[in-house]
Amino acid sequence: SQQGEEDPQALSIQEGENATMNCSYKTSINNLQWYRQNSGRGLVHLILIRSNEREKHSGRLRVTLDTSKKSSSLLITASRAADTASYFCATVHRDNYGQNFVFGPGTRLSVLP
Amino acid sequence: DTEVTQTPKHLVMGMTNKKSLKCEQHMGHRAMYWYKQKAKKPPELMFVYSYEKLSINESVPSRFSPECPNSSLLNLHLHALQPEDSALYLCASSQVIPSGETQYFGPGTRLLVL
């Protein structure tokens, strides 16, 4: 079952603008991760934020996590055409079988030159 | 080496064919995963292997049969597939530690079932 839900589903911005994507989830998590996927390719890990962290930065990426609201946001600053891709949040929680990754539906970002 | 490789890149098969997808990693990861991804949808988990043992099978039809011959290899055997099984099949691997870590994905095999 899908746990993460991203919004917006699609986002189109101009190069140089900032892009913000949101993710909501339902159950308790160990950590939340964001991945990028270029069209028809494999996913690339961007950033991981643990359940006891509130904010994390990596280059032009900033991720926040609000466990009370069960939500996370990904901010890409000073966007570039190369940032055009689909972005997925993945929530990670453990059950009796090990760790379980559940991906949200994704946000398709288009950065126009 | 932080790469997960998958072969073939593309596969076209008939509904009566038997084929296999292959995945390989040399990062020492002991967890490996198969996902199925339809167009404009997120990856859906199919199988998880932990220490070469099947730990999660997400109610996948028996026409998909996974195999983990050793800690570096993961296969997905396909038999009597249906056209709706056409999708991108992604393999991933990760460390097996309590807090859960990053998954490394291969480029995928794009499968078309005629």
Side-chain angles (χ1 to χ4, degrees):
Chain A
S1 61
Q2 288 194 19
Q3 159 129 282
E5 297 284 336
E6 281 103 336
D7 78 87
Q9 290 188 347
L11 180 61
S12 186
I13 59 174
Q14 295 293 133
E15 217 169 14
E17 293 180 340
N18 296 342
T20 300
M21 291 160 265
N22 302 298
C23 168
S24 60
Y25 58 92
K26 296 186 175 74
T27 64
S28 62
I29 60 173
N30 295 106
N31 66 58
L32 185 145
Q33 302 181 29
W34 285 90
Y35 287 80
R36 184 186 74 215
Q37 184 178 34
N38 290 89
S39 180
R41 306 287 294 168
L43 282 75
V44 175
H45 178 257
L46 294 176
I47 197 164
L48 178 156
I49 186 165
R50 302 194 187 282
S51 58
N52 61 353
E53 297 176 311
R54 292 296 167 259
E55 188 170 313
K56 206 159 182 183
H57 297 256
S58 176
R60 293 185 295 114
L61 306 179
R62 174 178 164 247
V63 168
T64 62
L65 179 64
D66 187 335
T67 52
S68 66
K69 295 181 179 177
K70 291 187 167 57
S71 68
S72 173
S73 68
L74 170 67
L75 168 67
I76 303 175
T77 60
S79 63
R80 304 166 182 168
D83 294 328
T84 295
S86 290
Y87 292 82
F88 296 94
C89 69
T91 50
V92 183
H93 47 103
R94 287 186 63 82
D95 54 29
N96 291 334
Y97 304 102
Q99 65 178 16
N100 197 3
F101 272 62
V102 179
F103 286 87
T107 294
R108 292 189 306 281
L109 174 66
S110 296
V111 181
L112 307 174
Chain B
D1 184 0
T2 59
E3 191 180 21
V4 176
T5 58
Q6 289 186 246
T7 55
K9 289 184 180 178
H10 302 275
L11 179 62
V12 180
M13 60 187 289
M15 289 189 284
T16 58
N17 291 158
K18 284 184 182 181
K19 296 287 185 183
S20 296
L21 309 184
K22 296 186 184 304
C23 174
E24 190 167 3
Q25 57 88 15
H26 295 287
M27 294 178 277
H29 291 168
R30 302 307 294 273
M32 296 185 77
Y33 311 77
W34 280 116
Y35 289 88
K36 173 183 177 181
Q37 186 180 27
K38 302 285 271 185
K40 297 186 178 179
K41 297 289 186 182
E44 293 181 1
L45 184 66
M46 299 174 72
F47 302 105
V48 180
Y49 272 83
S50 179
Y51 293 98
E52 295 92 71
K53 288 186 174 17
L54 184 63
S55 63
I56 294 179
N57 175 345
E58 292 285 356
S59 303
V60 179
S62 60
R63 57 185 184 268
F64 295 90
S65 175
E67 179 197 19
C68 191
N70 60 56
S71 60
S72 300
L73 294 173
L74 186 66
N75 298 321
L76 186 62
H77 303 297
L78 314 172
H79 173 55
L81 295 193
Q82 304 296 309
E84 60 264 28
D85 297 321
S86 299
L88 181 67
Y89 287 84
L90 294 164
C91 172
S93 70
S94 73
Q95 301 279 11
V96 181
I97 62 173
S99 58
E101 289 296 336
T102 302
Q103 288 196 353
Y104 291 81
F105 282 82
T109 292
R110 186 160 298 283
L111 173 67
L112 177 62
V113 182
L114 300 176

